[in-house]
Amino acid sequence: MKWITAEDLENIAIGATLLGTGGGGDPFVGKLMALQAIQKYGPVKVLTVDELDDKALVMPVGSIGAPSVSNEKIASEEEVYAPAEVLKDFFPERTQAIMPIEIGGGNSLLPIACAAKMGLPIVDADAMGRAFPESQMVTFFLKGYQPEIVAMADSQGNRIVYYPKDGEWSEKIARAITDVMGGNANMVDNVFSGKIVKECGIRGTLSLAKEIGEELTILNDSVPPVQRLLDHLNGFSLFEGKISHIERNVEGGFTRGRAAFTGINRNKGEELEILFQNELLLAKKDGAVLASTPDLICALDYETGRPITTETLRYGARIHVIALPCDQKWRTKKGLEVAGPKYFGYEVDYQPVEELMGEKAHV
Amino acid sequence: MKWITAEDLENIAIGATLLGTGGGGDPFVGKLMALQAIQKYGPVKVLTVDELDDKALVMPVGSIGAPSVSNEKIASEEEVYAPAEVLKDFFPERTQAIMPIEIGGGNSLLPIACAAKMGLPIVDADAMGRAFPESQMVTFFLKGYQPEIVAMADSQGNRIVYYPKDGEWSEKIARAITDVMGGNANMVDNVFSGKIVKECGIRGTLSLAKEIGEELTILNDSVPPVQRLLDHLNGFSLFEGKISHIERNVEGGFTRGRAAFTGINRNKGEELEILFQNELLLAKKDGAVLASTPDLICALDYETGRPITTETLRYGARIHVIALPCDQKWRTKKGLEVAGPKYFGYEVDYQPVEELMGEKAHV
C-alpha cells in the first residue's frame, strides 16, 4: 500500500475494528473524518517503517477515553488535528510522519485524517498491533522509551502539552485530563525518532487491516470469510453464541463491563463470558479461560463476519467469537506485566491462545 | 519597599497569613524557601505596578490544592521554580517580573523565592488582595482577561503547559491536574502584560503584608497590636472565643470544613460558626451573618494577635476573629458572582462588613 485513498477506508475500518478487539473508538465516525479529509486534501502517502529517517520524528495520533462517550460526543475536526498541530510547532523541522498509536476502530482512521490535513505521510505501523485501553500499553514502553512530551485537545478548545515523568505518569495525567474534558479527548504521545520506531513499531498493521477488510467483504468465494480470516491470521474460533447479558460502566475515563453468551450450533448448552475495558480482554467458557489479553479476542457478527465494537454488542445478537495470537513483543515478561490479565485484575496466568486451544483440542 | 531582604520575610509571612484569611498554604514553609533563595541568590528587587513596562510580561506564581496536603507534602525547590522557568522559555525576551497571584500564607513567599532564583524583580501587588480557593477568582478575570497559557509542576517531575479555553476551564483543568498530582501542585497562570497588571493588579499588597507583620510584632506600645491593626485597616472585631468543634475534609483538591467557637469575655454565652474552603469564607454568630466572602475573615491567636491558618485552627484554641473590608473590585456585580457567598453555596446575600457591623452597632 503506497497511498491511502477514499476507496481504502471502508476495508481499513473493518480490519482495524477486528484488530482493535472491540476498542479504539467508533470506526464509522473515524471513516467519515478520514473520507472528508482525503476528499479535501487528497490521498495520504504511506511510508513503511524502513522508509523513515532515523532522526526524523513520528507523531502517533489517537483518541483517549471511554468509547461510550466518544460515540455520542463526536470529536470536532479541530480537536482531532490540534494535538499534532500543537506539537509540530515544537518540532517544525523534524516531523516526518503521522502514525496510528493503535490499530483499533476509529483510532486507525483519525491518524489518516490528520495526515491528510497536515500534508504528512502516514507510517504503516502502530505501537500495539491491536488496541489497548491505557496509554502506556505501547511497545515503546516495553523497550523503556517513555513519552517526553504529550499533547491533548478537547472539543471545547482546551489544549494541553505536558512533559510526564514517565509512561505511567503520562497515563495518569492523560486519564485525569480526559475525565475533566468530559470522558474523551484526542492526543499525541510517544513522539519518537524514526530509529526508535524501527526498533519498536509493529509493522504493516495498516496494510493488514486493509487486507482483513478485503477478506471479510469478498462474497463470491467457496471458503466462508471467517474461515479465510482464521487461516490467514493463524486464529481460532472460540465460540458461537447469542448475547444473553451485557453490562457497561463508564468510570475513570473507561468503559468497563462484561458480556455473557449462550451457545448455539456446536456450542449449544455452553456459556461464554467476556470481560472488557474498552477492549475485549478475557474470554471464559463455563469458567475455563479460552483466551486472554494480550492475545486478541474479537466479536464478529454471526451472519456477515463483520467485527463488532464493544459499544455495539447488544442483547440477543448472534456472535462468532474468535481469537488471534498477539505480537511476540507482548509475550515477554515485561509485555505481560504491562498488559497481561493480572494487570487488569483478573486472577489468571497468561497462556498463549495457541496453547489453550491446543489443550482443548486434546481433551 | 525597594528590596525584599531576609529580614523582611517574617513580617511578610505574618501579614500575608492575615490577608490570606487562613489560606494560601503554609507561611512557615514559604518563608524557609524564600529565606534559602535570598541567602543563595541575594535580595529581591521590588517594582511598583507603575514601574512595569506596558508590553513586558508578569508571571504570577502560586501553589494550588489542599493546604492539608501541602503542609505535609512540602514542595521541592524544583517544583516551585519549574512553572515559571518553563513559561519563561516561551517568552524569553518579554518576562519582566514575578508576582504573587494572591496575598496569602506561603503563596506570598514562594514568588519571592522564585524571583530570587530567576534573578527577576517582584511586583508589589497581587490579583486578589487576599487569598481565594479557585484560580479564576482573580481581578484579571473580573475584567474579562482569561489566562491564555498556564504552567504547572509537581514533586514527581511532571510538567504541564496548557492553553485553556477560558478562566473557568483553566480552573477545572488545574484542579483535575492538582488532584492527580496528589492534591497539591505549583503553577503560573494569568500571564499578562504590564499594561493589564496596571489595570487589574491590587497594588501594594506585599508592602501592606509587611506593615501588618510589623504592627503585630511591635510589643512596647500603649495600644494593643490587634487594635492598632483594626485602626490601620478599617477592620472590625467580630468575636472572641474558644474553638469547640473543628472539621476538615480534603476533597477535589480543596480543604473544606467548619469551625465552631464558644464565646469568652464580651462574647460569653454566644456561639460563632465559620465555614471555610481553604480560606475562611463565612462567619455567623448565633445564626446571623457577621461577615462573608469576599470580605476578609481572619482568625488571630487571642494572646499574641498572630494570624492562624485554616490548617492550624485546633480544638480548644482561644481566638480573636476579625474582619476586614475587601478591595472594591470584589464588590461589583461580577466580583460577587465570582467570589460572593452564593458562589460557594451559602444562601446568603452579600452585605459589606461595614454595613453588617454598623447594623449591629445600632441594635
Side-chain angles (χ1 to χ4, degrees), chain B residues 58-247:
Chain B
V58 175
M59 291 204 186
V61 166
S63 72
I64 174 169
S68 305
V69 174
S70 60
N71 285 9
E72 300 196 0
K73 184 171 81 70
I74 292 172
S76 69
E77 216 179 290
E78 228 273 293
E79 155 186 17
V80 169
Y81 304 140
E85 288 181 331
V86 166
L87 280 196
K88 190 163 178 280
D89 286 345
F90 281 67
F91 312 106
E93 306 294 318
R94 289 186 64 200
T95 307
Q96 190 187 2
I98 298 294
M99 184 175 99
I101 188 72
E102 65 184 6
I103 289 295
N107 269 349
S108 307
L109 294 145
L110 296 184
I112 298 171
C114 211
K117 167 88 182 327
M118 294 175 76
L120 289 170
I122 196 161
V123 187
D124 187 5
D126 76 306
M128 301 186 192
R130 49 166 293 161
F132 273 124
E134 298 184 18
S135 60
Q136 81 284 8
M137 296 173 172
V138 287
T139 48
F140 299 117
F141 186 75
L142 301 186
K143 287 280 185 182
Y145 298 109
Q146 317 266 358
E148 286 175 21
I149 186 164
V150 180
M152 295 180 68
D154 69 5
S155 57
Q156 297 288 331
N158 296 299
R159 309 283 173 258
I160 298 184
V161 175
Y162 65 89
Y163 308 83
K165 183 194 172 194
D166 56 32
E168 277 112 343
W169 270 103
S170 182
E171 162 64 19
K172 273 194 221 180
I173 293 170
R175 201 59 55 177
I177 291 169
T178 301
D179 221 26
V180 76
M181 282 179 163
N184 199 268
N186 283 272
M187 79 190 293
V188 169
D189 65 349
N190 291 287
V191 178
F192 292 115
S193 67
K195 188 166 180 218
I196 291 176
V197 175
K198 285 175 190 171
E199 181 187 350
C200 302
I202 298 191
R203 292 163 186 238
T205 46
L206 273 175
S207 299
L208 178 63
K210 188 182 153 199
E211 287 165 31
I212 291 171
E214 287 165 355
E215 223 138 17
L216 283 174
T217 49
I218 298 170
L219 288 172
N220 48 352
D221 198 325
S222 55
V223 186
V226 174
Q227 190 53 53
R228 244 178 0 241
L229 190 73
L230 294 176
D231 293 346
H232 181 159
L233 299 171
N234 301 312
F236 300 87
S237 168
L238 296 190
F239 198 82
E240 294 173 21
K242 274 169 74 171
I243 300 182
S244 55
H245 180 80
I246 175 99
E247 58 190 66

Side-chain angles (χ1 to χ4, degrees), chain A residues 107-248:
Chain A
N107 268 349
S108 307
L109 294 146
L110 297 184
I112 298 171
C114 212
K117 167 87 183 324
M118 294 174 76
L120 289 170
I122 195 160
V123 187
D124 188 4
D126 76 306
M128 302 187 191
R130 49 166 294 161
F132 273 126
E134 298 184 19
S135 59
Q136 81 284 9
M137 295 170 173
V138 287
T139 48
F140 299 116
F141 186 75
L142 300 186
K143 286 280 182 182
Y145 298 109
Q146 317 266 358
E148 287 176 20
I149 186 165
V150 180
M152 295 180 68
D154 70 3
S155 57
Q156 297 289 331
N158 296 299
R159 308 283 173 258
I160 298 184
V161 175
Y162 65 90
Y163 308 83
K165 183 193 173 196
D166 56 32
E168 276 112 344
W169 270 104
S170 182
E171 163 64 18
K172 275 194 220 179
I173 293 171
R175 202 60 55 177
I177 291 170
T178 301
D179 221 25
V180 76
M181 282 178 163
N184 199 269
N186 284 272
M187 80 190 293
V188 169
D189 66 349
N190 291 287
V191 178
F192 291 115
S193 67
K195 188 166 180 220
I196 292 177
V197 174
K198 285 175 191 171
E199 182 187 350
C200 302
I202 298 191
R203 293 163 185 238
T205 45
L206 272 175
S207 300
L208 178 63
K210 187 182 155 198
E211 286 165 32
I212 291 171
E214 287 166 354
E215 223 136 16
L216 283 175
T217 48
I218 297 171
L219 289 173
N220 48 351
D221 198 324
S222 54
V223 187
V226 174
Q227 191 52 53
R228 243 178 1 239
L229 190 73
L230 294 175
D231 294 345
H232 180 159
L233 300 170
N234 302 312
F236 300 88
S237 168
L238 298 190
F239 198 83
E240 294 173 21
K242 273 169 75 171
I243 300 183
S244 55
H245 179 80
I246 175 100
E247 58 192 63
R248 294 183 187 89

Side-chain angles (χ1 to χ4, degrees), chain A residues 273-292:
Chain A
E273 182 187 33
I274 294 183
L275 301 179
F276 53 83
Q277 178 180 327
N278 293 8
E279 282 76 33
L280 309 183
L281 296 174
L282 185 70
K284 288 202 245 185
K285 188 169 76 175
D286 299 331
V289 174
L290 292 190
S292 84

Side-chain angles (χ1 to χ4, degrees), chain B residues 326-345:
Chain B
C326 65
D327 191 277
Q328 290 301 327
K329 290 184 168 75
W330 292 110
R331 292 183 166 181
T332 58
K333 183 162 173 284
K334 179 78 177 170
L336 294 172
E337 254 172 51
V338 169
K342 291 217 165 99
Y343 178 86
F344 292 98

Side-chain angles (χ1 to χ4, degrees), chain B residues 248-286:
Chain B
R248 294 183 188 87
N249 298 304
V250 178
E251 47 177 14
F254 298 108
T255 305
R256 290 194 175 92
R258 60 183 280 277
F261 300 76
T262 304
I264 55 173
N265 305 340
R266 64 180 168 93
N267 294 109
K268 208 168 168 86
E270 295 177 318
E271 293 282 334
L272 186 81
E273 182 187 35
I274 294 183
L275 301 178
F276 53 84
Q277 177 179 328
N278 293 7
E279 283 76 34
L280 309 182
L281 296 174
L282 184 71
K284 288 202 245 184
K285 187 168 77 173
D286 299 330

